[in-house]
Amino acid sequence: MIGFRDWWSRTDPPDAAFEAGVRRVLADPNSDFLIAGEPPAGVCQLRYRFSIWTESDDCWLEDIFVEAEARGSGMGRALIEAAFERARERGCRRMQLDVNETNPAALALYDSLGFSASSDPPGGRNLLMRRRL
């Protein structure tokens, strides 16, 4: 996960806080980390929460990162497919994620796995919006 932070050219949170945050997420029964490679070269973080829209838990693919030297190997696809399986095991009926529109490789991967940026009626594209508190 620190590799992912560094890939974004960020310095916050600092390493110690980031590691503490990962330990906290690992302790949460509504979260999973999936690791790929030996030594590890890919990680996927999943979060689960109940949705009244699906009458089941949703799976939020919070983060996925593959080290540069492992990109193009199918590791990202394998992580997402493992995430699908994990979510199904938990009874989830929907998986959601956010992706930066300037990341064509990620967009192509998500499209090929059936993710869509469009929404059901009333139409339009779903947008992730944030506000720091």
Side-chain angles (χ1 to χ4, degrees), residues 46-62:
L46 306 173
R47 304 275 192 134
Y48 308 98
R49 70 182 193 288
F50 183 78
S51 169
I52 60 172
W53 297 102
T54 62
E55 300 176 277
S56 67
D57 276 353
D58 275 350
C59 179
W60 178 262
L61 197 161
E62 176 115 5

Side-chain angles (χ1 to χ4, degrees), residues 4 8 10 60-63 97-101 127-133:
F4 193 25
W8 278 106
R10 295 181 181 166
W60 178 262
L61 197 161
E62 176 115 5
D63 292 306
L97 57 81
D98 64 85
V99 60
N100 190 296
E101 66 185 350
L127 302 174
L128 172 70
M129 299 178 75
R130 311 174 207 195
R131 178 178 175 199
R132 294 218 180 244
L133 301 176

